[in-house]
Amino acid sequence: MDPSPLSAFDPLVAKWFSTRFSSATEPQILGWPEIRAGRDVLISAPTGSGKTLAAFLLCLDRLVRQARAGELPNETEVVYVSPLKALSNDIRKNLEIPLTEISELAAARGIQLAPIRTAVRTGDTPAWERRQMGKQRPHILVTTPESLYILLTAEKSREMLRTTRTMIVDEIHAVADDKRGSHLALSLARLDALTAEAGHRPQTLGYGEANRRSGTVLESGCAHRGYRPSARNGIIG
């Protein structure tokens, strides 16, 4: 495959991607520069177009670089929100498989890579797992809009979310037309306010199927930043 779209990635991440896929897709090629530039991005594209990995790969790249350098903090850096219930399948497909295979690549090359932790937080998460998250914070947290609201309310979980660098909203078209979308937009604004106390704000990445209203949730959640849906602000679709 043309190596240019992967040239800026960590060699381990680039090798994993080129082994798994014959080429980068259009949403990935167009999305990566916008995401790398730190813009809030909405990727609106059909199912199977690789838009999920377009959002995730740069997050994984950042964490792998930290893990390789031994500088991976005990902090939550990425929060992934999905309105769908099949979160365990999402996290395995989109996170656990790449992380496992990248770790295997590192071991084969004699590279020490600190473990990158992921966790799912929903209403069904057992109490002991919730307590564990407070001690060993997941670097990537997967949750639902409803659970995110609760996490932003409880003081201990607020402390965990305070370090969030990237907010990913999956299947954004599924909530664009109902109250869940308005509720989620409010949570995005609350997360911004929380991280602002620590001197930063998270980059917000949304993706879903092509839909005129897909940008509404992202736009509403970022309106206080002066965000508007335009090519300049990284809207793709």
Side-chain angles (χ1 to χ4, degrees):
M1 65 178 290
D2 180 0
S4 57
L6 299 175
S7 60
F9 285 92
D10 182 273
L12 289 173
V13 176
K15 177 62 176 177
W16 172 81
F17 187 93
S18 61
T19 300
R20 270 273 181 173
F21 306 99
S22 60
S23 63
T25 65
E26 184 178 17
Q28 293 164 354
I29 293 171
L30 295 177
W32 287 334
E34 299 287 340
I35 297 170
R36 196 180 297 279
R39 298 185 178 97
D40 297 318
V41 177
L42 170 63
I43 299 180
S44 183
T47 300
S49 60
K51 58 185 179 291
T52 300
L53 197 56
F56 263 127
L57 201 65
L58 279 170
C59 297
L60 295 180
D61 184 71
R62 182 176 73 235
L63 292 169
V64 166
R65 290 176 186 272
Q66 291 175 307
R68 181 200 281 268
E71 299 173 352
L72 194 61
N74 182 33
E75 295 178 349
T76 296
E77 293 202 11
V78 182
V79 176
Y80 166 52
V81 175
S82 172
L84 305 181
K85 294 182 178 180
L87 287 170
S88 59
N89 293 330
D90 287 337
I91 196 170
R92 184 176 186 278
K93 177 181 178 181
N94 300 324
L95 296 174
E96 294 295 356
I97 290 176
L99 287 174
T100 298
E101 293 179 350
I102 289 171
S103 295
E104 291 171 353
L105 278 174
R109 297 184 180 190
I111 299 172
Q112 290 190 339
L113 204 64
I116 297 172
R117 297 187 296 273
T118 63
V120 176
R121 173 65 162 84
T122 69
D124 297 327
T125 304
W128 70 268
E129 286 190 17
R130 300 181 190 185
R131 290 193 296 269
Q132 184 68 16
M133 290 180 200
K135 298 174 182 177
Q136 287 192 317
R137 294 179 178 176
H139 301 108
I140 304 175
L141 176 66
V142 178
T143 188
T144 63
E146 291 78 13
S147 290
L148 177 62
Y149 176 85
I150 295 172
L151 289 169
L152 284 164
T153 302
E155 188 55 41
K156 288 184 179 180
S157 53
R158 280 172 57 84
E159 190 62 30
M160 178 178 67
L161 294 176
R162 197 181 302 273
T163 55
T164 303
R165 298 287 177 179
T166 305
M167 180 75 194
I168 300 176
V169 183
D170 187 10
E171 302 291 338
I172 199 168
H173 61 278
V175 297
D177 291 320
D178 59 27
K179 293 180 180 179
R180 295 182 78 199
S182 300
H183 198 265
L184 178 55
L186 177 60
S187 291
L188 296 180
R190 291 178 66 201
L191 181 63
D192 258 17
L194 176 64
T195 57
E197 297 172 4
H200 71 278
R201 74 160 182 82
Q203 180 183 23
T204 303
L205 310 177
Y207 51 96
E209 295 178 6
N211 184 321
R212 284 187 177 182
R213 292 182 56 82
S214 291
T216 303
V217 174
L218 196 64
E219 179 182 1
S220 298
C222 303
H224 55 291
R225 305 178 188 168
Y227 174 92
R228 291 295 181 272
S230 67
R232 182 185 61 189
N233 284 306
I235 298 299
I236 301 170

